[in-house]
Amino acid sequence: MTSTVPALGTRTAEGSALQAVLLDMDGTLVDTEGFWWDVEVEIFAGLGHTLDDSWRHVVVGGPMTRSAGFLIEATGADITLPELTVLLNDGFEDRIGRTLPLMPGALRLLAELAEYEIPTALVSASHRRIIDRVLTSLGPQHFSLTVAGDEVARTKPHPDPYLFAAAGLGVDPARCAVVEDTATGVAAAEAAGCQVVVVPSVAPIAPAARRTVVGSLEEVDLAFLRGLMTEMR
């Protein structure tokens, strides 16, 4: 159901309550949220429809079935959801094949988590075929587990992907730090009971209980994540 690589171990620093780090992909580790919108605009232009830029905030971060379904309904385009899903994945895969910019601080954070053997999972609403392509740039060795949106019965904003990841790593969701960039992903992580770090991409997100908002991944390191867990005590 998931693609895995050899686990990096479960050793954490003595006294640390942090058991694992779960990371979103698009807009969090890779700068691709704009890619999805560009592909959607291009596809619907070919169908004779112009997408309203305000819709971008509606479709960002969600499962493809929701975003694609919304765009079909909003435009009245003559295309089925399965047909549009194929076109979206094909278009996105073509774009990341040409360029795949990483978010500032992403590889540094992944390398640090690996160095200290913190169990780490990639949890995305993107489909498996997309995740596996992106992993070639992020480095599959950085993740003990990966969860794709088409591998769970309910993806974000439901808690299922994060609960599945925590169970797969054998850790308590409440002792997991999740890093997300959209309201949809934040809702999923909070519903799973995780501590959430938000690096907003397309739309601003306000701080809240168990939610810390930062401007960039460059502000996030292992000490920062452990500090969030310490504050829970």
Side-chain angles (χ1 to χ4, degrees):
M1 194 171 187
T2 59
S3 172
T4 62
V5 295
L8 299 172
T10 57
R11 178 175 59 83
T12 57
E14 183 177 353
S16 172
L18 178 68
Q19 292 184 348
V21 178
L22 316 178
L23 300 119
D24 174 55
M25 187 177 76
D26 292 302
T28 299
L29 294 176
V30 289
D31 191 8
T32 51
E33 288 291 11
F35 284 15
W36 283 112
W37 179 248
D38 291 343
V39 170
E40 288 160 350
V41 168
E42 183 177 294
I43 290 171
F44 278 89
L47 296 171
H49 298 275
T50 300
L51 300 188
D52 190 314
D53 196 60
S54 66
W55 296 343
R56 183 174 181 178
H57 298 286
V58 179
V59 301
V60 67
M64 187 174 294
T65 51
R66 189 197 73 183
S67 58
F70 169 83
L71 292 174
I72 291 173
E73 183 176 353
T75 61
D78 185 18
I79 189 171
T80 67
L81 184 58
E83 290 171 338
L84 180 55
T85 297
V86 171
L87 291 177
L88 288 171
N89 276 322
D90 286 349
F92 186 80
E93 194 166 358
D94 176 67
R95 292 202 175 226
I96 63 175
R98 286 180 266 158
T99 179
L100 183 59
L102 304 184
M103 299 300 287
L107 286 184
R108 188 251 334 137
L109 176 60
L110 292 174
E112 184 181 18
L113 295 175
E115 178 183 357
Y116 288 90
E117 299 181 359
I118 304 299
T120 303
L122 184 68
V123 184
S124 176
S126 290
H127 289 188
R128 169 56 54 191
R129 60 180 282 195
I130 300 299
I131 287 181
D132 287 345
R133 285 292 301 273
V134 173
L135 280 173
T136 62
S137 295
L138 288 176
Q141 73 276 9
H142 289 127
F143 303 98
S144 305
L145 176 71
T146 63
V147 181
D150 56 342
E151 295 174 338
V152 289
R154 301 186 307 172
T155 189
K156 305 172 187 179
H158 298 287
D160 305 37
Y162 284 114
L163 292 175
F164 188 89
L169 294 175
V171 297
D172 180 358
R175 295 301 176 185
C176 292
V178 168
V179 185
E180 272 282 359
D181 72 303
T182 67
T184 300
V186 169
E190 291 181 339
C194 304
Q195 181 77 34
V196 187
V197 177
V198 189
V199 189
S201 58
V202 175
I205 298 174
R210 298 181 63 88
R211 181 197 308 169
T212 302
V213 180
V214 298
S216 166
L217 278 183
E218 294 183 314
E219 300 176 38
V220 181
D221 57 15
L222 184 52
F224 177 88
L225 296 173
R226 283 177 170 155
L228 296 179
M229 294 298 166
T230 302
E231 293 171 6
M232 293 170 51
R233 296 177 179 178

